[in-house]
Amino acid sequence: MPQSAEKVLDHAPLFREPEYRQMLAEKKINFECPHPDQIVTDQREFTKSWEYREKNLARQALVVNPAKACQPLGAVFAAAGFERTMSFVHGSQGCVAYYRSHLSRHFKEPSSAVSSSMTEDAAVFGGLKNMIDGLANTYKLYDPKMIAVSTTCMAEVIGDDLHGFIENARTEGSVPHDFDVPFAHTPAFVGSHVDGYDSMVKGVLEHFWKGKERAEVAGNINIIPGFDGFCVGNNRELKRLLDLMGVSYTFIQDASDQYDTPSDGEYRMYDGGTKIEDVKAALNAEATISLQHYNTRKTLEYCEEVGQATASFHYPLGVQATDEFLMKVSQICGKEIPEAIRLERGRLVDAMADSQSWLHGKKYAIYGDPDFVYAMARFIMETGGEPTHCLATNGNSAWEAELKDLLASSPYGKDAQVWAGKDLWAMRSLLFTEPVDLLIGNSYGKYLERDTGTPLIRLMFPIFDRHHHHRFPLMGYQGGLRALTTILDKIFDKLDRETSETGVTDFSYDLTR
């Protein structure tokens, strides 16, 4: 037997045992109705061709492995960034299990969220009773300071009215009349997780700001980080920079502590997050700055409606992007950028120069959220690399045009191609027909790496098969240094594999580079 009390195997070696190999082979023959091996091989080779690429990129009615998630995931993440807030998803339990597992597998932390547990009867008669009972249970069992309500496909298809349902639940005594229950409609069948994030953050701000009189505090700013799998490292790094500048700021939706709780014997269902009183006071800020424009379009529009100045960036990573962010903060707040930060900038520039010979001319394929792809393409060009393929499944025509303008501004971007709305199966065709040196994205790219041989650099949410990347920043000058080192490590690892055979591929005792 391959598995016993004395010999416990993980799934990877377990399925290589003879018994399992035989079982899987028989399953394929008896139940999968397989085509002959030659036909499979021929078809596989055809899918690597330019002819298949044209057919693949022309697809409209089918999506294969999109590089995005659905709206409610973004709403659940957004809710985690507020003080003692429980995310309440009006929909089925299975949907919420997906959001929780997706976040917890990336952050290696518990991700709390509850469901109204809608089933077939709620799909027919509506989910009001589920909302009444669910809010009551959430309030009594989990002792939150706020419950943030979002929706799934089922609730949106049948047209459940969240505002009306929540008010009915208050009337029924599920929660006190003065208890905070912001909400956002987040239909999972349109948009993506960045839209769900945007709707929930806007919903929270609108809940606390609507009808309130604004008294502007000059020089005070709000920072909205956007949906960010690296929020633990990024938020802390950005706070460090702002503190060095002496800026008065409020981080709106700060999930850094929630997804990095210590192991000290105490379980924290809630940790950190933007304090409710700070959210209320944030109405009076002079300006709201978004670190990811395409994550916060509705929210920024609302901030403008209440009278705030706004500015947005595309994930400030690298030299120029960080420069622009810090200079904008300096302009609004009237604070000088201190010498300590200038020195950090110079060190990043020096590191890039030190490694220029290994980075210059390298070709990259980048995929992920629109702001991340924009930022990474910009950073790659700063290193002398060429962002050959830039793909965002949730990118729109405005993003495509903006990124093309960026790429056209540098000789390193002149041959780059921008792919808005395309998926990772399309990326596979691009990698086979126009190969690159490196692929930058999330864990799902490992199958592209295996298939096409393109080395994968994991710098985008979600990262399931590596640990603790999210604890280190990508934003700011220190984040740029981290990204630079990660890219260089992959380049040198590849070189080591290609020069590992003494006297055949390794002639120079290659130790110093």
Side-chain angles (χ1 to χ4, degrees):
M1 289 290 292
Q3 192 82 290
S4 67
E6 290 75 31
K7 181 185 177 184
V8 179
L9 298 177
D10 182 58
H11 71 282
L14 178 65
F15 289 115
R16 292 198 293 267
E17 292 290 314
E19 295 89 338
Y20 280 95
R21 287 181 179 273
Q22 180 181 351
M23 179 190 74
L24 293 171
E26 291 177 352
K27 171 181 174 291
K28 182 175 182 179
I29 294 171
N30 296 326
F31 299 104
E32 295 182 8
C33 303
H35 289 288
D37 290 344
Q38 188 58 51
I39 292 178
V40 174
T41 299
D42 291 345
Q43 190 64 31
R44 182 184 297 115
E45 291 305 310
F46 172 64
T47 63
K48 301 177 183 178
S49 68
W50 275 89
E51 181 183 356
Y52 180 77
R53 165 180 163 152
E54 296 308 312
K55 296 177 183 292
N56 192 7
L57 295 177
R59 273 187 295 119
Q60 293 183 345
L62 174 67
V63 177
V64 183
N65 201 6
K68 66 172 186 175
C70 59
Q71 284 206 49
L73 175 72
V76 171
F77 175 82
F82 295 95
E83 177 190 15
R84 292 190 65 85
T85 297
M86 178 59 72
S87 185
F88 182 104
V89 185
H90 188 44
S92 69
Q93 292 184 25
C95 292
V96 180
Y98 156 63
Y99 315 138
R100 293 171 60 184
S101 67
H102 217 64
L103 292 167
S104 64
R105 284 192 293 163
H106 173 82
F107 289 109
K108 311 305 178 196
E109 292 282 347
S111 181
S112 299
V114 298
S115 164
S116 60
S117 302
M118 293 177 68
T119 53
E120 290 84 351
D121 59 340
V124 175
F125 301 109
L128 176 57
K129 185 176 186 305
N130 299 69
M131 178 71 73
I132 291 171
D133 293 343
L135 286 178
N137 289 336
T138 304
Y139 180 76
K140 292 174 182 176
L141 291 174
Y142 302 115
D143 189 29
K145 196 166 186 177
M146 181 167 77
I147 300 174
V149 179
S150 55
T151 54
T152 65
C153 297
M154 182 189 298
E156 291 295 328
V157 167
I158 64 177
D160 279 358
D161 173 15
L162 289 186
H163 176 70
F165 281 18
I166 293 168
E167 291 307 308
N168 271 291
R170 292 187 194 278
T171 301
E172 293 290 331
S174 297
V175 295
H177 280 278
D178 60 349
F179 186 79
D180 295 311
V181 188
F183 66 89
H185 286 275
T186 53
F189 45 79
V190 294
S192 73
H193 57 286
V194 302
D195 301 292
Y197 176 94
D198 191 9
S199 294
M200 180 51 75
V201 174
K202 180 193 174 187
V204 171
L205 297 185
E206 195 170 24
H207 173 81
F208 289 109
W209 293 0
K210 191 172 183 179
K212 301 295 190 299
E213 187 174 346
R214 182 169 176 267
E216 183 174 303
V217 179
N220 197 10
I221 60 172
N222 299 324
I223 304 289
I224 306 178
F227 188 104
D228 184 12
F230 283 73
C231 66
V232 172
N234 280 340
N235 290 8
R236 292 171 181 170
E237 174 63 16
L238 291 165
K239 290 179 197 175
R240 185 185 68 84
L241 292 172
L242 296 172
D243 289 341
L244 281 172
M245 292 179 65
V247 172
S248 176
Y249 64 91
T250 299
F251 243 83
I252 302 292
Q253 199 280 312
D254 178 12
S256 57
D257 288 342
Q258 180 64 45
Y259 288 121
D260 191 30
T261 58
S263 183
D264 57 3
E266 177 188 351
Y267 170 64
R268 296 167 174 82
M269 179 171 287
Y270 312 102
D271 199 14
T274 309
K275 293 186 179 300
I276 302 301
E277 292 306 313
D278 290 343
V279 177
K280 294 177 181 178
L283 171 63
N284 302 318
E286 179 179 348
T288 292
I289 297 176
S290 166
L291 303 183
Q292 296 191 68
H293 173 77
Y294 290 99
N295 284 242
T296 53
R297 287 165 288 176
K298 293 178 182 177
T299 303
L300 290 180
E301 287 176 4
Y302 179 67
C303 293
E304 291 171 358
E305 288 175 12
V306 301
Q308 295 178 352
T310 63
S312 61
F313 297 89
H314 299 298
Y315 208 92
L317 185 164
V319 180
Q320 190 174 358
T322 305
D323 290 351
E324 292 173 358
F325 168 67
L326 293 176
M327 287 190 292
K328 174 58 73 173
V329 171
S330 176
Q331 174 192 335
I332 295 172
C333 301
K335 301 287 187 178
E336 289 292 323
I337 299 173
E339 182 65 16
I341 294 179
R342 296 180 189 275
L343 289 173
E344 289 184 19
R345 181 188 191 276
R347 291 174 187 130
L348 173 58
V349 173
D350 180 66
M352 294 165 65
D354 289 344
S355 306
Q356 188 271 340
S357 61
W358 294 100
L359 296 166
H360 181 80
K362 286 287 188 294
K363 295 181 181 293
Y364 297 79
I366 308 166
Y367 68 90
D369 290 341
D371 292 291
F372 170 83
V373 174
Y374 185 100
M376 188 54 65
R378 190 179 194 181
F379 179 63
I380 289 303
M381 291 192 294
E382 288 183 337
T383 69
E386 301 175 17
T388 304
H389 302 298
C390 301
L391 183 150
T393 307
N394 48 359
N396 58 22
S397 57
W399 169 79
E400 182 177 356
E402 193 174 9
L403 182 51
K404 284 181 176 178
D405 287 343
L406 171 72
L407 295 167
S409 69
S410 167
Y412 300 114
K414 63 183 177 64
D415 294 325
Q417 301 173 76
V418 181
W419 306 97
K422 299 302 181 183
D423 51 39
L424 294 188
W425 188 249
M427 177 64 86
R428 178 181 180 273
S429 284
L430 299 174
L431 295 178
F432 273 125
T433 52
E434 293 181 273
V436 298
D437 298 298
L438 297 162
L439 174 67
I440 297 178
N442 58 29
S443 286
Y444 290 106
K446 71 187 298 178
Y447 303 106
L448 290 172
E449 180 178 38
R450 291 176 182 177
D451 203 5
T452 69
T454 312
L456 170 67
I457 302 170
R458 295 162 175 82
L459 291 172
M460 175 71 207
F461 175 90
I463 299 175
F464 295 149
D465 57 342
R466 299 292 186 272
H467 288 199
H468 310 307
H469 287 220
H470 64 279
R471 300 180 193 274
F472 302 93
L474 290 182
M475 292 185 185
Y477 303 124
Q478 293 297 321
L481 187 59
R482 171 72 179 177
L484 179 72
T485 305
T486 305
I487 292 168
L488 286 165
D489 282 351
K490 183 62 71 168
I491 291 172
F492 293 137
D493 284 344
K494 182 174 184 290
L495 184 59
D496 281 339
R497 287 194 301 272
E498 293 172 348
T499 58
S500 62
E501 195 172 352
T502 304
V504 178
T505 57
D506 181 12
F507 295 96
S508 58
Y509 191 60
D510 183 16
L511 184 62
T512 303
R513 292 171 180 164

